[in-house]
């Protein structure tokens, strides 16, 4: 059962890694690369997410999931805190990816505290 739980967490970490890649390329794909604030926000958070997901894949620790949750919440709030909410494509991109990162991270934390929920 412990191996099954670790595999589940690895799926969540892989999901966060994929979301980090999506976030990193989003300024070019969605078309807001010319705007510094949303682009740098996406790139910096993506690198942090990728680093945390890679660390969690090599040696899981619960704090990494909590840190990912904080980054997801930051992504949700960042358009308003950094002043780029008027750019709808940048705003919706980071908000949607932030919700997905937060959801995956909450799922991983839930699994840590409710290991028998899968049985």
């Amino acid at each position: 059962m412990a191996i099954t739980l670790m595999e589940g967490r690895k799926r969540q970490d892989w999901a966060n890694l994929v979301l980090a890649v999506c976030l990193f390329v989003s300024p070019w794909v969605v078309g807001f690369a010319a705007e510094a604030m949303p682009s740098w926000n996406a790139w910096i958070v993506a690198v942090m997410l990728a680093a945390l997901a890679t660390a969690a894949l090599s040696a899981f620790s619960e704090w990494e999931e909590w840190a990912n949750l904080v980054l997801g919440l930051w992504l949700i709030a960042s358009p308003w805190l950094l002043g780029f909410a008027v750019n709808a494509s940048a705003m919706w991109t980071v908000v949607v990816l932030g919700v997905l990162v937060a959801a995956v991270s909450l799922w991983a934390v839930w699994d840590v505290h409710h290991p028998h929920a899968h049985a």
Side-chain angles (χ1 to χ4, degrees):
M1 184 157 110
I3 292 172
T4 304
L5 289 175
M6 285 306 293
E7 289 304 315
R9 287 191 201 114
K10 285 191 184 278
R11 281 192 294 260
Q12 295 151 350
D13 296 326
W14 279 109
N16 269 334
L17 190 57
V18 168
L19 290 170
V21 170
C22 292
L23 180 62
F24 192 85
V25 300
S26 68
W28 296 289
V29 173
V30 178
F32 60 91
E35 294 191 42
M37 190 61 70
S39 296
W40 279 103
N41 181 53
W43 295 327
I44 290 168
V45 175
V47 168
M48 293 170 68
L49 278 170
L52 286 167
T54 302
L57 281 166
S58 63
F60 177 80
S61 185
E62 184 180 354
W63 72 267
E64 294 155 343
E65 304 307 333
W66 285 106
N68 281 336
L69 175 61
V70 169
L71 289 175
L73 295 175
W74 166 258
L75 285 173
I76 294 167
S78 66
W80 295 275
L81 295 174
L82 297 177
F84 64 87
V86 294
N87 181 333
S89 61
M91 188 237 351
W92 282 110
T93 299
V94 298
V95 167
V96 168
L97 288 171
V99 167
L100 292 171
V101 167
V104 168
S105 301
L106 280 173
W107 177 26
V109 170
W110 172 269
D111 279 352
V112 169
H113 295 284
H114 299 88
H116 300 294
H118 297 286

